[in-house]
Amino acid sequence: MQPQQQPSDEPELFDKASVTSNMKAIGYIRTISTIVGGFSAGIFGFTGFKGFALFVIQYLLTSMAIVAFNFGGRTKIYVPQTSNLAFLVSGMGNEALAFVLYWTLMYALVHIY
Amino acid sequence: MDADLMLDPKIRNWVLIPILIIMLLVQMSRSWAQVLLKGSTPPEPGQFKQMQLLQRATRLRANNRLLSSRGFHMRRHFLVELKGIGLRQKFEGSAPNPMQNPDGMMNMMKGNMTMMVPNIAMMTFISFFFQGFVMVKVPFMLTEGFKQMLQRDISLQTLDTSYVSSLSWYFLALFGLRGFFSLVLGDQAVTDDAKIMQQQMGMGGGNPMQFDANKSYKQMREGVKHIQHQFFLGELEEEFMMLPAKKKTA
């Protein structure tokens, strides 16, 4: 991740190319972790509520890891106008349906057939 | 209702996985086809110059507080004050209506074709070949209302709603694989169906405007004229000593 600027509290100028590449990297990380989460939910045989709980947990854990290891705790300088907490849950809706797909796939392959 | 149905492994081999593979292949060919189809008519360089000028004006509007008073006024002067220069240039023969412009129309049609045709074809194909049997069980509880949608061609009334037909598997895969495609195809043009469908519905029929120089310039002129400029370092001494700001004259 590339910081755009030496910040005081809230940075004032953002380099668009850096922001785009940051968002792409974040998307990749989230997609991969969703695949892993979905597959494990299916293989473990979670149904209903447990599966969704697993999705939420893995999503939050991944986001927290990104904030801690990549951002060094300062989301504001890597993702414009996003606080740490907001980043933890941003984009969850996009990945939710994909999670269901991978979950269904693995569940079917392992438990039904 | 409680017992898990045992499904034939052949369904898995011949339906579940093939549908996924077909969707992957269709998506990949679609993105490559888009890349190929794009290269037919490149836009004229004159248009690029006009668009770049507009971007200059936009940047001025966005970042003007970083400029000193002199710098800002120099740029504004270039853009809006002098006749025939900057945003006051006039252009002739703009083609605002893509309906009358056959070239733009063709591109739009091509774009729509690559988008909608595979989707519709896949849907018909799947509902024709893979109908009439239970395919997969989704791992969560669904309400009765979904039954009609998800079990389109299965005529059992009492079947648990969690068991779905192949068409619903198709839709699930369609939406779920979007993220996967961005991973696999990387930097190529990733065609995101749902987003594009949303865009088209929002624009009331997907009618992209041809670039109309005169109109956009006029709008931008008004915008630039009304910028309130305040250099963010201008009152640095006062801010530093936390004195109240002096009133500025425009």
Side-chain angles (χ1 to χ4, degrees), chain B residues 14-177:
Chain B
W14 292 103
V15 180
L16 198 72
I17 297 184
I19 291 187
L20 281 184
I21 296 182
I22 292 178
M23 294 185 66
L24 277 173
L25 293 177
V26 165
Q27 179 69 13
M28 278 202 262
S29 6
R30 196 200 292 181
S31 76
W32 285 326
Q34 269 215 338
V35 171
L36 286 176
L37 283 178
K38 234 183 220 178
S40 36
T41 40
E44 359 150 5
Q47 257 198 11
F48 269 129
K49 276 175 80 168
Q50 295 157 15
M51 289 201 271
Q52 298 279 8
L53 193 62
L54 275 181
Q55 284 176 14
R56 261 187 91 177
T58 316
R59 283 200 296 269
L60 184 66
R61 284 174 73 182
N63 297 324
N64 62 79
R65 59 199 175 80
L66 299 171
L67 293 172
S68 71
S69 186
R70 185 157 170 268
F72 171 71
H73 282 105
M74 264 168 45
R75 287 167 175 82
R76 191 165 71 171
H77 188 76
F78 168 74
L79 285 175
V80 301
E81 305 283 341
L82 304 168
K83 263 205 176 144
I85 290 192
L87 287 177
R88 290 184 79 165
Q89 299 176 61
K90 299 268 187 235
F91 301 96
E92 353 159 308
S94 47
N97 197 344
M99 290 304 178
Q100 300 161 359
N101 188 359
D103 233 359
M105 198 54 178
M106 270 309 289
N107 275 338
M108 218 172 58
M109 296 280 298
K110 277 187 214 167
N112 282 350
M113 281 303 127
T114 36
M115 208 55 50
M116 301 196 11
V117 162
N119 267 348
I120 299 180
M122 291 271 291
M123 257 175 44
T124 7
F125 171 75
I126 287 185
S127 59
F128 175 65
F129 281 118
F130 295 128
Q131 68 180 354
F133 55 89
V134 166
M135 209 183 70
V136 71
K137 177 179 191 292
V138 291
F140 46 86
M141 283 304 300
L142 294 171
T143 55
E144 289 292 310
F146 285 111
K147 197 193 263 230
Q148 204 211 17
M149 184 169 62
L150 299 176
Q151 290 183 352
R152 179 66 55 104
D153 18 30
I154 304 173
S155 7
L156 296 176
Q157 299 289 351
T158 55
L159 192 53
D160 203 354
T161 322
S162 289
Y163 291 94
V164 298
S165 68
S166 18
L167 197 60
S168 49
W169 173 250
Y170 167 69
F171 279 118
L172 188 62
L174 182 67
F175 290 114
L177 285 177

Side-chain angles (χ1 to χ4, degrees), chain A residues 21-61:
Chain A
S21 91
N22 286 354
M23 300 307 282
K24 235 195 240 179
I26 295 172
Y28 285 179
I29 297 176
R30 282 193 167 141
T31 307
I32 294 184
S33 76
T34 308
I35 295 180
V36 170
F39 279 9
S40 22
I43 295 177
F44 283 137
F46 290 158
T47 57
F49 182 65
K50 273 195 274 188
F52 287 116
L54 179 64
F55 170 63
V56 172
I57 291 176
Q58 68 87 14
Y59 199 87
L60 289 178
L61 276 180

Side-chain angles (χ1 to χ4, degrees), chain A residues 12-13 24 28 31-32 35 46-48 52 94-95 97-98 100-105 107-109 111-113, chain B residues 7-9 11-12 16 20 65-66 135-137 139-140 169 172-173 175-177 179-180 182-183 186-187 232:
Chain A
E12 304 182 341
L13 193 59
K24 235 195 240 179
Y28 285 179
T31 307
I32 294 184
I35 295 180
F46 290 158
T47 57
F52 287 116
N94 294 340
E95 305 289 344
L97 201 46
V100 169
L101 170 70
Y102 308 126
W103 180 19
T104 311
L105 180 66
Y107 184 83
L109 287 183
H111 288 276
I112 303 195
Y113 290 112
Chain B
L7 294 175
D8 194 350
I11 302 183
R12 171 194 58 199
L16 198 72
L20 281 184
R65 59 199 175 80
L66 299 171
M135 209 183 70
V136 71
K137 177 179 191 292
F140 46 86
W169 173 250
L172 188 62
F175 290 114
L177 285 177
F180 181 69
S182 66
L183 202 61
D187 292 326
F232 86 124

